[in-house]
Amino acid sequence: MTGTRRAVAALFLLPALVLLGALVVYPIGYSLVRSFGNASGDGFAGFDNYRVLFTDDGIRTALKNNVLWVVFAPTVSTALGLVFAVLTERVRWGTAFKLVVFMPMAISMLAAGIIFRLVYDQDPDKGVANAVWVGVHDTFAQASAFPKAHPGRDSPLRPDRGGFITRTAVRAGQPVTLPLVGVAPDRLPDDAKKAVAAAPEPGKVTGTTWQDFTRGKGVGRLGAPDPSEVGYAGMRIEAVKDGTVVATADAAGDGTFVLPAAADGARLRLPASNFREPYNGVDWLGPALVTPSIIGAYVWMWAGFAMVLIAAGLAGVPRELLEAARVDGASEWQVFRKVTVPLLAPVLAVVVVTLMINVLKVFDLVFIIAPGSSQDDANVLALELYRKGFAEGQPGIASAISVFLLLLVIPVMLFNIRRLRREVRR
């Protein structure tokens, strides 16, 4: 009877064992054997492929980035999940908040990669991250509307410290012309109006600064505003005597400006601040920030996973212990740090270990988000495995990388198994 039961049990286990052998054991064994072969697969390379793991620059960069991933991605995701789980217990709309935070888990890595490739786009008109960053920056340091402006032919201006200055001193009662060219019509300020020649004012220096170019007619009349030409609204003008600024003014919408009597005998300067290049934000996908940026995308996806698991563990925490700590005079921070977190330690360990195993295999986000110019800087082991095996035709090295990844995952898995066994014994 016992033999019959064993036979029946084996029969039920057989399909699972066949699938396990075909999909897990055989690929691992084949990769192990292949890792000792040469590129063609018909020769024995010994440990040469494994030696490459520690000498190839691309693989070393990938290994360094994997260390960053393992250290920061699980830690940040778990910390955010813990904060979200604790805070949402105290608000009525906590369930809705959890749904929103968990929602990215329903998106595939491919879709998330495409989303964040757009989010991190360098152009502020396309990339959300730089649109916000540039908006905040321009709030405190307004970008110039005239970055490409420069003097034209026969101009009274010459270059000076990144800006331009008149070649001769100006006199009160004699209108000054400061013509420039080089600003695209669609880049002119919104309040720009048709340029007009400034009228003389006794005891004051007046003038006009404008776009001295008439479309379809070249420069039109040099040194005088034409009917279709517009003023440089907001252009800053400084009166300089002996290297000291004695007066300043901003041009009106029609380009005209008025300086006080102190400007008499000074030279007029258009300072470099008028021609500052517009701030284009941060190069999120450049060599320096590409890995942290991709880790940020990963955290966006997996913080919800951590939050849900931690919230489930938090629901099982005895409320009596929390209330007892508060009655004893503990602050909310002390209750959180000395009671809640220690009681959640098993759940936090599960989350961290799960995410560590997950980030060791990360491939999709790096492959999709990192542009070709910085993909080498964002390289990870799973991506290098793909590149060696399918792009560079080195299956032996790719197999060695896969075996190395397995060796990295095994200690984490053993730790998790031992922890689970201890939990069962309790």
Side-chain angles (χ1 to χ4, degrees):
M1 191 66 177
T2 303
T4 303
R5 287 182 177 178
R6 288 180 178 174
V8 171
L11 187 62
F12 276 105
L13 289 173
L14 184 61
L17 292 174
V18 171
L19 288 175
L20 185 66
L23 300 179
V24 178
V25 177
Y26 172 73
I28 291 176
Y30 181 80
S31 296
L32 182 60
V33 173
R34 191 69 184 83
S35 68
F36 292 101
N38 57 20
S40 62
D42 56 2
F44 181 70
F47 287 94
D48 289 347
N49 293 328
Y50 289 94
R51 192 176 296 112
V52 171
L53 297 182
F54 303 99
T55 57
D56 184 87
D57 290 337
I59 298 177
R60 286 194 295 183
T61 300
L63 185 58
K64 179 192 71 176
N65 287 335
N66 265 101
V67 172
L68 295 176
W69 273 89
V70 169
V71 171
F72 291 104
T75 305
V76 176
S77 299
T78 305
L80 284 178
L82 176 62
V83 172
F84 291 155
V86 172
L87 294 181
T88 51
E89 273 207 332
R90 299 175 175 271
V91 294
R92 292 181 179 179
W93 40 269
T95 302
F97 181 83
K98 289 177 183 177
L99 177 64
V100 172
V101 175
F102 187 75
M103 197 175 294
M105 285 295 299
I107 303 175
S108 68
M109 285 282 196
L110 172 64
I114 294 173
I115 290 170
F116 275 88
R117 180 67 181 268
L118 295 174
V119 167
Y120 291 134
D121 195 289
Q122 180 69 36
D123 187 351
D125 293 331
K126 299 178 182 178
V128 175
N130 265 340
V132 174
W133 193 269
V134 170
V136 173
H137 175 274
D138 288 351
T139 301
F140 300 98
Q142 186 64 38
S144 168
F146 320 106
K148 302 297 182 182
H150 59 274
R153 289 190 295 119
D154 301 328
S155 174
L157 297 167
R158 64 173 178 79
D160 178 73
R161 301 180 183 181
F164 305 100
I165 194 169
T166 54
R167 300 177 186 276
T168 59
V170 297
R171 295 297 175 186
Q174 299 178 4
V176 182
T177 57
L178 304 177
L180 296 168
V181 295
V183 180
D186 59 340
R187 295 292 182 180
L188 288 168
D190 295 334
D191 56 347
K193 301 176 182 178
K194 184 174 69 171
V196 297
E201 294 188 23
K204 295 182 179 181
V205 174
T206 60
T208 306
T209 178
W210 79 101
Q211 175 98 322
D212 192 19
F213 181 85
T214 301
R215 183 177 293 183
K217 297 181 181 179
V219 295
R221 294 179 301 155
L222 283 175
D226 288 329
S228 62
E229 295 172 351
V230 296
Y232 280 158
M235 177 75 77
R236 171 56 63 102
I237 299 97
E238 298 176 345
V240 181
K241 286 183 179 179
D242 300 323
T244 303
V245 177
V246 296
T248 62
D250 292 333
D254 57 6
T256 59
F257 59 88
V258 179
L259 289 164
D264 184 38
R267 290 201 293 172
L268 301 189
R269 181 170 66 193
L270 305 179
S273 58
N274 289 314
F275 312 102
R276 185 187 302 116
E277 289 288 338
Y279 181 66
N280 286 323
V282 178
D283 188 7
W284 299 104
L285 299 181
L289 292 177
V290 63
T291 295
S293 298
I294 300 174
I295 291 177
Y298 179 90
V299 170
W300 176 78
M301 290 191 68
W302 287 87
F305 166 82
M307 178 195 66
V308 169
L309 290 189
I310 295 171
L314 195 60
V317 172
R319 302 301 167 185
E320 298 82 7
L321 295 176
L322 303 180
E323 292 302 326
R326 293 188 181 101
V327 170
D328 288 341
S331 64
E332 289 300 323
W333 169 246
Q334 290 173 324
V335 171
F336 172 75
R337 184 167 57 91
K338 296 185 177 181
V339 180
T340 304
V341 172
L343 290 174
L344 288 175
V347 179
L348 296 176
V350 170
V351 175
V352 171
V353 169
T354 303
L355 294 180
M356 286 177 65
I357 295 173
N358 187 267
V359 299
L360 282 171
K361 303 180 296 179
V362 69
F363 164 80
D364 318 57
L365 287 178
V366 180
F367 183 71
I368 296 166
I369 295 178
S373 59
S374 58
Q375 197 170 86
D376 288 342
D377 300 283
N379 201 9
V380 290
L381 288 174
L383 176 59
E384 187 65 16
L385 186 157
Y386 167 81
R387 294 167 70 173
K388 294 294 186 188
F390 298 97
E392 300 178 16
Q394 301 182 61
I397 297 176
S399 298
I401 296 174
S402 67
V403 173
F404 183 60
L405 272 174
L406 177 63
L407 294 176
L408 292 178
V409 171
I410 286 176
V412 182
M413 293 177 61
L414 291 176
F415 169 80
N416 207 24
I417 292 171
R418 291 180 62 186
R419 188 197 57 77
L420 290 173
R421 285 178 177 173
R422 286 198 301 268
E423 289 296 321
V424 171
R425 293 194 193 103
R426 291 177 184 174

